[in-house]
Amino acid sequence: MNLKHLFIKSLFILTAVTSLVSCGGGGGGDDDAGVAPQRPTANVSGNAVDALIIGATVCPYSWAEAQSGFARTAGNCVTTDENGFYNLSLQLPDQPIVLRLEGGHYVEEASGTNVNLMDGQYMYAAINFVSGHDVSVMITPLTTLHYGLASYR
């Protein structure tokens, strides 16, 4: 019985030592082995239209932030160009986001009058952002109504 005990004990120690030695100490040569990969960037671009809205600021917000007062943006804000075009480059997790447009001006088509958007006048668009996938979205009075209805529900 003692010999059997000694054999089992030796086998256990041999297995433990072999397991420890086989673990090694090398990291496999990859210096970033413990670092999560960088989140991919996606472009959210489009036009701001109630006629072409020029010089307006477009800012992205998470849906939750938009519902609680637009205090903190989810990325950098950009300005629309002379064609009402904007392009946001975002590195965010997959989530619904709200684009809010403020300021700028447009030329009223019937009279040719330059119309400035006043403080407190905003336009919105809501999209389901997917990290790494570019999306094109217009910001219009209709997308503003869509956002209002989605916020209400």
Side-chain angles (χ1 to χ4, degrees), residues 81-130:
D81 66 12
E82 65 277 354
N83 296 313
F85 181 78
Y86 69 92
N87 185 23
L88 293 160
S89 183
L90 302 175
Q91 261 183 320
L92 301 172
D94 297 356
Q95 63 180 311
I97 63 170
V98 176
L99 304 176
R100 182 169 84 168
L101 175 141
E102 64 181 296
H105 68 277
Y106 64 92
V107 177
E108 208 276 324
E109 294 174 5
S111 66
T113 305
N114 198 22
V115 178
N116 291 316
L117 275 72
M118 295 185 291
D119 289 341
Q121 288 184 320
Y122 304 107
M123 290 175 58
Y124 303 94
I127 62 169
N128 189 26
F129 179 81
V130 178

